[in-house]
Amino acid sequence: MAPSGRISQSVFDGSRLRVILLLDLYEGAQQQFLDAYELMRKQVASVPGHISDQLCQSIENPSQWLITSEWESAPPFLAWVNSEEHVETVKPMHSCVRDTRSMRYSILRETSPDQPASRTAASAGMQVQARVGDGVARHALTFTVKPGSESKVAELLAGYESPRAQVDETTRLRRTSLFMHGNRVVRAVEVEGDLLVALRHVARQPEVRAVEEAINPYLEQDRDLTDPESARVFFTRAALPAVHHVVSDRPTPAGLRRHALYYPAKEGHGMELARLLADQDQAAADDPDSPVYSSTVFQRDDTVVRLIDITGDLDLDPVASLGLKGARKAAELARLLDGAAIGVEGSLETERDINRLLSHADMLPVTDRSSNA
């Protein structure tokens, strides 16, 4: 039986990944760009999971270029693109490029003369079924502030006026949810239409620029948003991509509450932990009795955040709230979780352990703003 939950976003289906990078170069920067690309190409060729890449130049506008790459699956690409190594690798390109746009696609079908007709999509490393979405793109940013400044930062982030929701005819800001865990800030956004267009729109709004300037002195990582290079590096490091989103197909319950849970992973286990939570939420979407109605898992390196819309309070069903239903799931989470990072060390064998983890993982809500339809 096909699952009833609607998975609109996932990097865990095992399909090959096609990455498309559109670039608009400054006039006269072509040779500098080619030199930078050669260095990047040699480095990325040795990255686990990388299959191939191509560099293309527009036949209509010589300033427009295209880099495509193919990967065995999405997780190794995300591990690479979110790494400090990648940040350093692409730096030489920044002075050549006026604008960029990155797109990532699971391979669903392909035509090739040497492709056996009998091969299934799964055996060919392709996405088995088309996902059904809701026209919404999800993304998050995370950064840390100086210890002791948390309350001031929360006050600043909660107090600014929301930017205009309608960006253009096809793009609209639907929801912004902001949470804190200690000195870590997580801002999750939902956008109908073009995510990049929406993010650029928000960044240009005076009220947003003012609050970003106001929190600058409190950030652990220095930035200057008036300097394109500084801003680029900051937002690259702050990106917290959504790796899985699922929502139940049952009617939307009344009184849904949004929570964010923080799961710091042991070193090198962030993607594995995110996959565990994604699998759990997929099962919850098919359970008519689960209080979890929808979930988005965000992951970068060893930072994992799970955003859930839930009926009732978290502590009414701590196991479901944490995504731990099923045999040995608590033990599996304990193996992957850096409990010391949130003050919960050891096993998760007892109800008391699980309740303690829930209280430590639950993030402080700062603001949750939805635009009117």
Side-chain angles (χ1 to χ4, degrees), residues 11-309:
V11 304
F12 300 122
D13 59 11
S15 61
R16 283 177 287 138
L17 181 74
R18 174 72 65 187
V19 180
I20 300 171
L21 183 64
L22 300 172
L23 307 105
D24 184 18
L25 302 191
Y26 290 113
E27 287 73 12
Q30 282 83 353
Q31 189 56 51
Q32 182 185 353
F33 169 73
L34 287 171
D35 293 341
Y37 172 76
E38 281 302 308
L39 292 174
M40 186 188 76
R41 181 178 67 84
K42 292 174 182 177
Q43 290 181 303
V44 76
S46 63
V47 175
H50 175 263
I51 297 174
S52 65
D53 59 70
Q54 290 182 325
L55 175 64
C56 309
Q57 185 178 20
S58 170
I59 62 173
E60 298 169 333
N61 183 344
S63 294
Q64 293 179 350
W65 294 68
L66 169 70
I67 299 175
T68 68
S69 62
E70 187 172 331
W71 297 75
E72 291 175 0
S73 62
F77 166 76
L78 291 174
W80 155 248
V81 80
N82 292 327
S83 69
E84 285 298 311
E85 181 183 2
H86 177 264
V87 172
E88 294 301 319
T89 298
V90 300
K91 271 186 178 180
M93 285 192 176
H94 292 169
S95 59
C96 316
V97 177
R98 181 185 291 111
D99 194 18
T100 63
R101 183 181 182 87
S102 178
M103 296 173 284
R104 297 93 184 257
Y105 295 87
S106 296
I107 297 177
L108 188 69
R109 300 287 187 270
E110 67 180 0
T111 302
S112 174
D114 58 355
Q115 180 80 10
S118 60
R119 291 182 73 191
T120 64
S123 67
M126 289 183 286
Q127 183 182 323
V128 176
Q129 292 180 324
R131 289 186 289 272
V132 179
D134 52 4
V136 175
R138 294 170 173 84
H139 189 64
L141 295 172
T142 186
F143 52 87
T144 55
V145 298
K146 296 173 182 175
S149 69
E150 295 90 346
S151 60
K152 180 60 178 177
V153 170
E155 178 185 348
L156 289 168
L157 292 173
Y160 73 95
E161 184 179 350
S162 297
R164 179 170 52 88
Q166 194 67 43
V167 178
D168 57 29
E169 292 182 356
T170 58
T171 300
R172 180 181 182 84
L173 291 168
R174 192 169 84 165
R175 190 168 184 175
T176 300
S177 307
L178 198 145
F179 296 84
M180 294 184 69
H181 190 283
N183 69 330
R184 177 170 295 279
V185 178
V186 173
R187 177 190 286 142
V189 297
E190 297 178 0
V191 173
E192 296 176 5
D194 193 311
L195 175 64
L196 183 59
V197 168
L199 294 178
R200 289 177 173 174
H201 161 79
V202 170
R204 290 192 295 265
Q205 302 311 301
E207 59 271 25
V208 174
R209 295 175 72 92
V211 74
E212 294 289 356
E213 187 69 26
I215 67 172
N216 275 345
Y218 306 109
L219 298 180
E220 286 198 315
Q221 178 192 341
D222 291 335
R223 70 177 185 186
D224 178 3
L225 296 184
T226 64
D227 174 16
E229 178 65 14
S230 176
R232 191 197 313 263
V233 170
F234 176 84
F235 286 112
T236 297
R237 288 177 171 149
L240 187 66
V243 295
H244 192 88
H245 175 75
V246 63
V247 60
S248 174
D249 270 349
R250 65 183 186 267
T252 306
L256 281 175
R257 299 180 183 181
R258 173 155 290 190
H259 292 268
L261 297 166
Y262 176 50
Y263 303 79
K266 291 177 181 174
E267 186 175 356
H269 291 283
M271 187 64 74
E272 189 178 358
L273 196 158
R275 184 192 295 268
L276 169 66
L277 296 173
D279 289 344
Q280 289 295 98
D281 287 328
Q282 189 169 330
D286 298 328
D287 179 1
D289 298 321
S290 174
V292 179
Y293 176 71
S294 67
S295 164
T296 307
V297 178
F298 301 90
Q299 182 262 335
R300 177 195 179 90
D301 297 329
D302 297 321
T303 298
V304 181
V305 172
R306 178 167 160 264
L307 193 68
I308 57 174
D309 291 323

